[in-house]
Each structure stands twice: as C-alpha cells, then as structure tokens.
Amino acid sequence: MPLQALCDLQIHVNGQHTFFLHQKVISRFSGKLKKIIKQEKKKTQIKNSGIEILDFPGGEEGFELVSRFCYNNGNIKITVSNVCLLHCCANFLEMTEKLSTFNLLHQTENFFEGLFYWSWHDIITSLKSCESFLNYADSCGLIQKLMTSLLAKIAQNSDINNLFGLSTSSASSSSSSSEQMKSSSISTNKVWWFEEMTILSPKIIEHFLRTLGAFGSENNSLLLTRFLLYYLKTSAQYCKSQNLISRIEYSGLADTAVKGVILMGKTAFSCRNLFWVLRIVCGFGISKECRGNLEKLIGGNLDQATLDDILVCGHNGGVYDVNLVLRLIKVFVHINDKVSIQKLKKVGRLIDKYLREIAPDQSLKISKFLGIAESLPDYARDCFDGVYRAIDIYLESHPTLSLEERSRLCRCLNYEKLSLEACKDLAENPRISPRIAVQALASQNSSSIPTTDNNFVKETKVSNSQMVLYKKNKSDSSSSSDQHSLQEEEHEYMRLNLQKMQWRVVELEKICKDMKGQMSKMVKTGAIIPPAHTRALPRLCRSQDF
C-alpha cells in the first residue's frame, strides 16, 4: 500500500515540498496545525488537497525536523547547529506547553539558557545556521541574543572599548587615539576574531554593526573598520564568481568601511593603504559620495604614492583605470596648486613614469593620454624628456595613427624643456611629424639647452643670450675653454640641422602645392596631365644623413 494511502494529511511547505503525515500525530504537538486541520475538516477535500504553509522558517529542512520530533514522541537531539531552526519552527507552529508537556519550544528555550557557557565557535555556528531564515530569527529575538553573547566573548578576550570608536571628549584622549592608530596595521596583524567572522553572511555582519551602533556614517571605530576591510577582502574572491545581486549585498558594509577610513584619514592610513582600501571596496558598488570622498583623501596625498599604487586595473576594457588617475591628479592640483612646488614636481615625475607604463595599452585613446600628460601645470616639470619618451612608446605601439593624430599627441611637449639628447632623438624620429621636429629644433636654437650632464650647471646671460657653463667643482681655465668650444659646436650642429630641415619642409610644401594644381586640372579637363617637374621627392632623412 502506498504511503499516501496510509497518511490522512498532506502539508505543502512554501509551495515547493509536500509531506504526507497523520493528523493525530501532528496535532498533538502543533497548536497552529491543530487549528488549521479543525477548520479544514469542514471541507471534504482535505485529504486530497492538503494544507498550504507559506513562509515557513527553514523550508523543507525545518519541517522535516519538526516531523521527526512529533513521530519520535517529542524527542530530538538539539545542538548548536539546529537549535535556532528548531526554535523558529516551534514558534511558527505554536508548539507550546498547552498541547504537550516539555514541548519543542520549551526544550529549545531550555537549551538557550546555557548560552553564556557556549564557546566562541558555538555562537558563530549558531549564527551561521540562521542565514536562510534570518528575518524570522531576528523577529524572534534570537539574533539579538546571539549578538549579545558574541560581544561578551570578544570583551572577555580583548578591549571592548575599541569597538565603540574613538573618544573625543578631550584633546589628550584624541592625541592618544592618534598614536594608537599610527601603530596599528591595516592589512596585517588581524585580531583573533576576524577570521571566523568571515564565514557569516553580510546581513549578519550588518546586524553585528547595528548592535554596536557603528553602521554607515555612525562608524567611528578603527578596529571595526579594519575588520570590515579584512571581511571584504576575504569575500572578494567569493563575489567574483557571483552575480551582481550578491555583490550589492556587501555595498552597505563597503560604505561603512569607507566612512571609517575617511574619518580616520591619513592619521591612520598611509597613501599606499588608501589605494589598498580603494582596490578592495571598488568591486562592491560603493556609493558615489563614498567613492568621491575616498578619492579626495587619496588625491590630497598623491605625492606619497608610488607607480605600483596608481597602476589600478581598468574596468571598461582598458588595462589601467586612467580615469581614476585623472581624478586624483585634479584633486591634488586643486589642493597643492599654490602650496608646494616641490610636491607638484614629485607628482610630475610620478606621472611621467605612469605615462610610459600605460603607453603600450592598445585600448588607450589619445585623448586619455593627453589628459594625463596635460593634467599638471607646466612648472610641475623641470624637464619634458619623460613625456617625450612616453609619446615615443605610444607611437611605436600605435603604428596606425595618422599624421594629424601624431602631431596632436606632441602638443603636450614643452620643447624648451627638452634636453639636447631628447631633441636630437625627436628630430631623427621617423614617427614624429617633420613640422614638429622643426618646431622643437627652433625652440632649442632660440633658448638655453638643458643638459643631462649632472657635472654642470647652466646659466643664461640676458644681455647677449650667451650660454656659460660652470663646473660644480672648481676647475682650470682650459677645461672651461673646452666646454665653451664644445657648446659652440653643438650650436653650429643644431643650426645646420635646422636650416636643412626647414629647406625640406619648404620643398614638400611646394611639391604638394604643384600636385594640388595638377589634380584640379585633371578634374576640369578629364585628362591626365604629366607633372611639370620630374625630380624626386626630397627624402626626410635622419640627422646623420645630412
């Protein structure tokens, strides 16, 4: 005989699972089911249609445990891993002492009376078991009860005051807090309870923070901020394989962590650690306000950053997040424009390195490259050799650029701040437009030429524009004379190169003009007219071929 024939009750749990039971057995322990069965008995189809139970805590697993309890004459093994589920099911089904002595609800309440003696691991395990029915467990007061016990365990083994933020009641307390924060490590030396808390869901962690009054903008605790960053870092690997909805569940925690970081500022976080924070939270959908405030904090300390710090991975097809660096530079320039020239020059050297690093990226647009190169004022660089080298790398990595695009790329150069060696290389570079090369040579010829030799210091006399070179150390007159002769040779060399380059440009312009005239005649007459001259186009050679 089939099981369905032996049972006189069908219960459909949450519209997904059906249980075949005996009315008498279930009604003995559940007040709620007893009432429903009594009402449904008036209907003739109760055995066939069954009873629908929606929003049952724990679903199939929970109802199966309750059924075992009922069929085992009110006995079941209660553990830290199932007590929360059993308690919620018993509360939902009204399994009270009115129906049976020592009913399920009474047994779970007795088990919770020993909560004070539970181990840390027991509390974490019990909290973990509540994830599938968290809202109902919270409405029963279980989550608050477990959180209180959890905090008690933390207090027994560490300073609970660290969880409640920094005291600002006096200047002395603020000073001591700052010293404490400086000595704290952000990414290492995690506190003993950090690791096991990472197995809990973001919703339970949010309950933990709310219990402490430290969720969102209320977070003023360095310890909790460190925990959240550790938790998010650990969860990042899991979120990579999940959909966007799962990642959004962490956004509130990410915002809370960022607000804590912003409150502590550079007192507790170095520039490198701030970039580390940004890398962690950017994948969790933090709010625009939090991201903007974090970028302002980082941008204000950009002079302390290294190349590795600003090489942040891109998210929209690019290898690097160039837009982020652009925003950081704008913040830095806005803060330090009239404050510290040395800081600007330090950032200038950093950005030159960054340009050379991102230049080979095939997806990097000219506008983005120029945006980075031109984001700093001219006086932030003593020399533009680094920018030129980055342009050369970009041109080599993007061979399909038109002449107009290559010329546009060179607009960020200050030719007067190019060293002699860089200017020579530019003039000989086949990837650089001849007109640009002429402009660079002309600028070098009309201004003092920077030298890369560290043994000399240049000085320009206003009266006759003559360049005089001095040794940093004292030298004899013959050495000075040799250097003067060498400089005259360099000037003569540059002058000849400039003249020949200008001649070739003029020749090209004439021939282009003739070609345009011939083309217009061809269009008008429809005939092919041979060119008026038969000479070959002038060859744009490297300077050594002159």
Side-chain angles (χ1 to χ4, degrees):
M1 185 177 291
L3 178 64
Q4 293 88 332
L6 296 174
C7 301
D8 56 359
L9 178 65
Q10 293 182 34
I11 297 182
H12 308 292
V13 178
N14 296 342
Q16 296 178 342
H17 305 281
T18 301
F19 289 83
F20 297 93
L21 306 166
H22 296 87
Q23 297 180 25
K24 185 178 179 180
V25 176
I26 296 297
S27 300
R28 179 186 169 191
F29 296 95
S30 172
K32 185 171 186 175
L33 287 176
K34 187 175 182 179
K35 292 176 186 176
I36 295 175
I37 291 170
K38 191 174 182 180
Q39 293 172 359
E40 293 292 330
K41 274 187 175 180
K42 298 177 182 179
K43 302 177 183 178
T44 56
Q45 299 297 323
I46 183 174
K47 185 174 180 179
N48 296 326
S49 62
I51 298 172
E52 286 281 352
I53 298 180
L54 300 176
D55 301 322
F56 187 77
E60 177 190 14
E61 181 186 358
F63 200 85
E64 183 177 347
L65 286 176
V66 169
S67 301
R68 290 180 182 229
F69 173 83
C70 296
Y71 277 90
N72 199 31
N73 198 29
N75 293 308
I76 193 170
K77 184 179 180 180
I78 301 178
T79 65
V80 293
S81 59
N82 68 14
V83 64
C84 290
L85 179 56
L86 288 172
H87 182 84
C88 290
C89 292
N91 190 72
F92 185 92
L93 295 174
E94 300 175 4
M95 302 176 74
T96 64
E97 297 291 293
K98 292 180 180 180
L99 295 174
S100 174
T101 57
F102 210 57
N103 208 342
L104 184 56
L105 187 60
H106 180 70
Q107 290 186 37
T108 56
E109 288 175 347
N110 281 351
F111 193 88
F112 276 119
E113 287 180 2
L115 183 59
F116 179 79
Y117 302 101
W118 287 16
S119 68
W120 167 265
H121 181 72
D122 290 341
I123 299 172
I124 294 293
T125 302
S126 194
L127 276 169
K128 178 71 176 175
S129 70
C130 294
E131 291 179 355
S132 62
F133 52 95
L134 185 63
N135 291 336
Y136 194 87
D138 189 32
S139 66
C140 292
L142 284 183
I143 300 301
Q144 186 61 41
K145 186 181 295 186
L146 291 170
M147 285 298 173
T148 302
S149 183
L150 191 75
L151 291 174
K153 292 296 179 184
I154 294 177
Q156 289 175 9
N157 297 277
S158 57
D159 186 3
I160 193 66
N161 291 327
N162 291 334
L163 291 175
F164 294 97
L166 302 174
S167 174
T168 55
S169 58
S170 64
S172 60
S173 62
S174 299
S175 177
S176 62
S177 297
S178 298
E179 292 301 320
Q180 179 185 359
M181 288 189 295
K182 287 181 180 179
S183 63
S184 299
S185 174
I186 304 304
S187 58
T188 59
N189 298 332
K190 61 181 181 293
V191 181
W192 61 272
W193 50 270
F194 282 13
E195 185 67 38
E196 288 200 54
M197 291 276 285
T198 57
I199 69 172
L200 300 177
S201 70
K203 289 185 178 179
I204 293 180
I205 299 300
E206 182 177 329
H207 273 280
F208 175 68
L209 296 174
R210 290 187 184 279
T211 302
L212 292 167
F215 184 75
S217 58
E218 297 176 336
N219 177 25
N220 61 352
S221 167
L222 176 61
L223 183 61
L224 287 177
T225 301
R226 289 176 56 202
F227 162 68
L228 283 174
L229 292 173
Y230 182 82
Y231 177 82
L232 292 171
K233 179 185 176 183
T234 306
S235 303
Q237 290 298 110
Y238 167 78
C239 287
K240 284 182 180 179
S241 60
Q242 302 300 311
N243 54 31
L244 181 62
I245 296 176
S246 296
R247 297 164 71 91
I248 290 177
E249 291 180 352
Y250 293 83
S251 60
L253 300 181
D255 281 354
T256 303
V258 171
K259 288 181 184 296
V261 170
I262 294 170
L263 180 64
M264 308 302 163
K266 58 184 179 180
T267 309
F269 293 83
S270 66
C271 187
R272 168 155 292 189
N273 281 332
L274 290 174
F275 274 102
W276 179 79
V277 170
L278 181 64
R279 284 181 170 91
I280 290 176
V281 301
C282 66
F284 292 101
I286 60 175
S287 65
K288 290 183 178 180
E289 178 188 1
C290 286
R291 187 183 182 98
N293 289 335
L294 182 58
E295 289 180 2
K296 286 180 182 178
L297 186 60
I298 297 174
N301 298 280
L302 195 59
D303 58 303
Q304 301 174 20
T306 64
L307 180 60
D308 289 338
D309 294 334
I310 63 176
L311 290 175
V312 180
C313 295
H315 302 289
N316 298 317
V319 178
Y320 302 109
D321 194 346
V322 178
N323 291 329
L324 168 66
V325 177
L326 270 172
R327 294 194 297 269
L328 296 179
I329 297 173
K330 288 180 180 178
V331 170
F332 180 82
V333 171
H334 177 72
I335 295 175
N336 297 281
D337 189 20
K338 297 180 180 180
V339 178
S340 174
I341 299 298
Q342 293 305 317
K343 286 185 176 182
L344 278 170
K345 290 183 177 180
K346 188 176 181 181
V347 172
R349 292 190 292 271
L350 173 64
I351 296 306
D352 289 353
K353 294 177 183 177
Y354 181 73
L355 284 170
R356 294 197 293 273
E357 194 69 30
I358 66 174
D361 182 6
Q362 295 295 317
S363 61
L364 181 64
K365 297 180 180 180
I366 291 179
S367 59
K368 296 297 181 183
F369 184 93
L370 287 174
I372 295 290
E374 298 175 336
S375 58
L376 291 171
D378 188 75
Y379 55 83
R381 294 182 176 95
D382 291 326
C383 180
F384 272 72
D385 286 14
V387 180
Y388 167 67
R389 284 194 289 271
I391 291 175
D392 191 32
I393 296 171
Y394 187 90
L395 293 174
E396 187 176 3
S397 304
H398 300 76
T400 60
L401 293 179
S402 65
L403 180 64
E404 180 183 355
E405 289 173 324
R406 282 180 278 151
S407 300
R408 178 185 167 202
L409 197 63
C410 294
R411 77 182 188 191
C412 60
L413 287 174
N414 183 338
Y415 305 124
E416 295 181 0
K417 288 189 176 183
L418 285 174
S419 68
L420 182 60
E421 286 76 8
C423 196
K424 285 181 182 179
D425 189 79
L426 186 149
E428 299 171 359
N429 195 331
R431 292 180 286 272
I432 302 293
S433 167
R435 186 174 295 277
I436 298 297
V438 171
Q439 291 177 4
L441 291 172
S443 298
Q444 286 285 312
N445 196 44
S446 62
S447 64
S448 59
I449 305 173
T451 178
T452 57
D453 187 353
N454 292 328
N455 293 325
F456 296 91
V457 179
K458 65 182 179 63
E459 179 183 303
T460 303
K461 291 186 177 180
V462 179
S463 60
N464 56 10
S465 299
Q466 179 184 3
M467 178 175 288
V468 182
L469 299 178
Y470 295 97
K471 278 272 190 178
K472 284 184 177 179
N473 300 322
K474 291 183 178 180
S475 59
D476 54 17
S477 59
S478 61
S479 176
S480 300
S481 177
D482 291 342
Q483 294 299 328
H484 184 72
S485 299
L486 178 62
Q487 188 63 40
E488 288 183 347
E489 291 178 3
E490 293 286 355
H491 273 283
E492 182 65 19
Y493 175 81
M494 295 297 294
R495 187 182 65 79
L496 292 174
N497 280 350
L498 177 61
Q499 288 178 351
K500 291 182 179 182
M501 184 66 74
Q502 289 173 333
W503 174 81
R504 294 183 190 282
V505 171
V506 170
E507 285 291 303
L508 277 174
E509 290 176 345
K510 287 181 180 179
I511 293 174
C512 287
K513 186 176 180 180
D514 292 341
M515 290 177 66
K516 287 181 179 179
Q518 296 291 344
M519 290 297 294
S520 62
K521 289 180 182 179
M522 290 170 61
V523 171
K524 289 179 181 179
T525 62
I528 300 177
I529 301 175
H533 58 80
T534 57
R535 61 179 177 175
L537 293 173
R539 185 164 57 93
L540 290 176
C541 305
R542 296 178 182 270
S543 59
Q544 59 262 33
D545 295 329
F546 287 155

